[in-house]
Amino acid sequence: MRVLIVGGGVAGAVAGIAAKKAGLDPVIYEAYEHSSGLSHGVYLTVAVNGLDALRAVDADKVVTSAGFPSGHMRFLSGTGKQLGAMPLGPTLTDGTATHTIRRADLYGGLYQEAERRGVPIEHGKRLVGATTAGGRVVARFADGSTAEGDLLVGADGVHSAARSLIDPANPGPRYTGLGNTGGFTRDTGIDAEPGDYVMIWGKNCFFGYTVSPDGEIWWFANPPRTRERSREEIRALTTDRLREELVGMLSTDRTPGARIVRAMSGDFPLTNQYDLPNVPTWHTDRMVVIGDAAHAVSPSSGQGASQAAEDAVTLARCLRDAPDVPRALTAYETLRRERVERVVAWGSGMNNTKKQGLTGRVLRDLALPLILRNAAGPKSMAKMAWLFEHHIDWDAPVTF
């Protein structure tokens, strides 16, 4: 079975790896001239459920070899008051814990793993159209080339072209009212245990950081903005101007945020933050979307990469075991939709606490210590088992 995979990020690379393991014939088509993760984003977490999905296709060492375990989150208000702490997900009985990894290392590692397993990867292939006939699908790319296969997998991210080709009525991504930026720097005055996160609900901007085992500060910020920045505005925004904006927002807080941003010497990116709460149509008989193309979760959930990996592995199992492609895609959606929409809703709820006015901030800071104490307790952690303890048994046959 020839599987055309559009997109070389986490979802696409893992789909290629999993399809190859399932005995299929995958090819990855990447719009960029290099792995997209090398130029987009800073770092991310891969939760224990994501590591479980990667382990199902023997790819978890990509994360564990380049990343580092992340155990706890400590929460502060903009005044520097500690609001509480909680685990960054559970540690499983086999010792598996959430890991933090540079986005470039994750994308690059999965990309290299796909290549090592013999998955062809073609660059400069931006999907612009697709047609199906006679049990086959033909993908059309912006450079004028085409590719024919038995299935087209849209792993092309939140602004997916495949999603619209599957159903023009499918919605596009929803701007969350926040931006994403971050970087890496060194500041020996920062107080944090390596691997743990400090999350700060600042007066004007949410800010977070962690310390890598070698002492480097990995930070991110979510500057709020009612109006979505256009691509032209983002391209025109210089690092100096962005630094000035962030320092202005963070200087009103009695936290290390402004100092960390001032210490940045290199460039750091800014992107708009999106989610995708519900996509009514995930597939046709010969095309399907996975990962952010189907359900972009808020970065606040820490689940984007993990859900993408789960999708890719589940799809490969369905294709391996189904009597035909249409039934495989129906089974894939049945196994995945309810879970990922629950994750999207959960992440969206956390995002809303990052953009509150004065009254909301006061109420939040009063309520959060109690909320976080309860959330860190064994009963609350047990309630989150649906998220973190999700297990994919590669060898178990999918039933239809």
Side-chain angles (χ1 to χ4, degrees):
M1 182 190 299
R2 171 56 65 96
V3 182
L4 314 178
I5 301 168
V6 178
V10 173
V14 178
I17 291 168
K20 195 74 172 180
K21 183 177 176 68
L24 311 178
D25 182 21
V27 182
I28 296 174
Y29 298 91
E30 169 59 54
Y32 294 92
E33 294 300 332
H34 49 76
S35 171
S36 59
L38 300 180
S39 59
H40 289 69
V42 183
Y43 65 95
L44 48 75
T45 58
V46 181
V48 291
N49 52 291
L51 287 168
D52 176 87
L54 292 173
R55 186 180 296 123
V57 292
D58 310 307
D60 53 306
K61 287 185 173 55
V62 169
V63 176
T64 57
S65 63
F68 55 87
S70 298
H72 293 84
M73 294 183 289
R74 184 159 55 96
F75 298 93
L76 307 177
S77 70
T79 64
K81 176 186 175 183
Q82 181 150 321
L83 302 173
M86 64 183 296
L88 192 63
T91 298
L92 302 185
T93 54
D94 64 358
T96 301
T98 294
H99 273 60
T100 298
I101 185 171
R102 289 178 186 257
R103 186 176 291 269
D105 288 340
L106 178 61
Y107 280 50
L110 291 172
Y111 177 98
Q112 291 168 13
E113 186 64 19
E115 279 194 317
R116 187 182 70 79
R117 299 192 192 190
V119 180
I121 303 174
E122 297 190 24
H123 291 272
K125 301 295 182 181
R126 185 173 298 278
L127 182 71
V128 294
T131 56
T132 58
R136 302 284 284 175
V137 59
V138 177
R140 189 161 44 84
F141 301 102
D143 64 359
S145 64
T146 61
E148 183 175 344
D150 298 285
L151 170 67
L152 186 148
V153 178
D156 48 345
V158 68
H159 298 290
S160 170
R163 184 174 61 239
S164 297
L165 293 172
I166 288 170
D167 185 349
N170 273 337
R174 177 179 67 179
Y175 174 57
T176 66
L178 297 169
N180 283 327
T181 188
F184 309 95
T185 189
R186 294 186 180 275
D187 186 328
T188 56
I190 297 301
D191 176 28
E193 287 293 322
D196 287 353
Y197 276 76
V198 178
M199 304 293 206
I200 303 166
W201 274 284
K203 180 179 178 181
N204 300 309
C205 180
F206 189 88
F207 187 86
Y209 66 91
T210 187
V211 181
S212 70
D214 70 353
E216 188 174 45
I217 305 297
W218 295 23
W219 66 271
F220 73 92
N222 296 136
R225 186 182 177 91
T226 303
R227 184 178 63 83
E228 179 182 356
R229 295 181 195 254
S230 69
R231 291 184 179 182
E232 291 72 25
E233 286 179 288
I234 289 176
R235 281 195 292 265
L237 184 64
T238 65
T239 296
D240 288 343
R241 176 60 183 163
L242 178 56
R243 182 186 290 108
E244 182 182 338
E245 285 187 17
L246 286 177
V247 169
M249 290 181 179
L250 298 169
S251 291
T252 58
D253 299 330
R254 293 198 291 273
T255 69
R259 179 154 52 99
I260 290 172
V261 175
R262 285 194 191 98
M264 280 293 297
S265 57
D267 291 339
F268 49 97
L270 177 73
T271 59
N272 294 316
Q273 186 182 112
Y274 301 95
D275 67 6
L276 196 58
N278 180 271
V279 174
T281 309
W282 279 15
H283 65 86
T284 64
D285 283 354
R286 294 288 159 179
M287 295 191 288
V288 65
V289 283
I290 66 174
D292 282 355
H295 49 75
V297 301
S298 162
S300 299
S301 70
Q303 281 286 327
S306 296
Q307 293 304 310
E310 287 184 14
D311 278 2
V313 175
T314 301
L315 176 61
R317 290 179 63 233
C318 292
L319 292 169
R320 177 195 67 191
D321 296 343
D324 54 53
V325 171
R327 275 182 279 189
L329 301 186
T330 298
Y332 159 73
E333 181 171 359
T334 299
L335 290 170
R336 295 299 299 158
R337 181 178 281 277
E338 182 180 354
R339 173 169 170 78
V340 298
E341 289 184 354
R342 189 177 180 185
V343 174
V344 170
W346 175 68
S348 178
M350 292 192 295
N351 239 24
N352 291 334
T353 66
K354 295 182 178 181
K355 47 186 180 183
Q356 293 175 329
L358 175 60
T359 302
R361 290 198 305 271
V362 172
L363 294 174
R364 179 195 64 204
D365 291 355
L366 288 172
L368 271 173
L370 177 60
I371 293 171
L372 291 170
R373 276 199 301 273
N374 290 335
K379 289 184 178 179
S380 292
M381 293 304 295
K383 289 180 180 178
M384 295 304 294
W386 68 270
L387 177 62
F388 294 112
E389 295 180 14
H390 181 77
H391 173 62
I392 298 176
D393 184 349
W394 177 263
D395 295 323
V398 178
T399 56
F400 297 90

